Amino acid sequence: MDAFWNFISLLLGLDLEPKHLTFAQISLRGVIVMIFTLIIIRLGDKRSLSKKSAFDAALLIILASVLARAINGSAAFFPTLGGSAVVVGLHRLMAFASYKSDGFRRLVKGKPSEIVRNGQLIERNMSRDHVAEEDIREDLRLDGEEELAQVKVARLECSGDISFIKKEK
């Protein structure tokens, strides 16, 4: 068994300082990290790649930062992989808690903010959320509508998207 671990250590440069890692060792680390990342993301939560909430973005930023250290050798390889799996597990646990608890969901993900009601801008909410009128009009055009007067309700969603409920025609 020692021979196997010595071979793995040599192959990945586990005992080397980062500056002494070869191109092949860094490349192999990158391949392993890529495969490992795909596995833990698939086991974790598909939504982290599809949503644009701060909660999900935090996972991706932390995961990228931690796993980069495994590739460049600035942190121990296998413990870094383990730590990233724990981060994905924590994200999954927090997503489950958000599903079960509305209060926890609001704490972690925030809540939508109404920015238009019956075609009228709600300036106070727009100011608080730093949303310009032109941002609303742009999203409205992208939604296939020109007139703000045709909007019953518009909300700035937790993801940063603006959703529209149009008036009955």
Side-chain angles (χ1 to χ4, degrees):
M1 195 62 165
D2 279 347
F4 173 75
W5 283 114
N6 288 340
F7 176 71
I8 295 297
S9 180
L10 179 65
L11 206 57
L12 297 174
L14 298 179
D15 297 326
L16 297 177
E17 291 290 321
K19 63 183 176 186
H20 297 300
L21 292 172
T22 66
F23 173 78
Q25 289 167 327
I26 290 174
S27 298
L28 183 57
R29 284 169 172 242
V31 168
I32 292 169
V33 166
M34 179 66 168
I35 292 168
F36 178 78
T37 302
L38 290 173
I39 291 169
I40 63 173
I41 290 287
R42 294 288 294 146
L43 292 175
D45 195 355
K46 292 181 210 174
R47 44 176 262 111
S48 61
L49 297 176
S50 64
K51 302 289 183 183
K52 295 182 283 186
S53 70
F55 173 67
D56 298 320
L59 168 70
L60 298 178
I61 292 166
I62 291 168
L63 202 54
S65 176
V66 168
L67 290 172
R69 294 168 184 260
I71 294 172
N72 68 27
S74 62
F77 188 74
F78 291 112
T80 301
L81 295 182
S84 63
V86 169
V87 168
V88 170
L90 177 62
H91 180 269
R92 182 77 170 167
L93 180 65
M94 291 175 76
F96 179 75
S98 295
Y99 168 73
K100 290 292 191 183
S101 167
D102 208 34
F104 188 74
R105 183 190 59 76
R106 280 193 306 276
L107 175 70
V108 171
K109 299 179 185 181
K111 64 180 186 173
S113 174
E114 196 169 289
I115 53 178
V116 176
R117 163 91 38 209
N118 294 321
Q120 300 298 310
L121 298 170
I122 303 173
E123 298 283 343
R124 184 182 77 249
N125 293 353
M126 291 170 56
S127 176
R128 182 190 65 225
D129 293 326
H130 309 292
V131 177
E133 181 178 345
E134 185 52 35
D135 295 334
I136 296 169
R137 291 187 181 281
E138 176 184 352
D139 280 11
L140 186 60
R141 287 189 301 272
L142 291 171
D143 204 46
E145 182 63 58
E146 284 286 328
E147 296 298 321
L148 199 56
Q150 295 302 315
V151 175
K152 181 178 177 182
V153 176
R155 289 184 183 91
L156 178 62
E157 302 293 346
C158 298
S159 66
D161 291 331
I162 298 175
S163 64
F164 299 95
I165 299 173
K166 296 174 186 162
K167 293 180 180 177
E168 301 288 327
K169 290 190 178 187

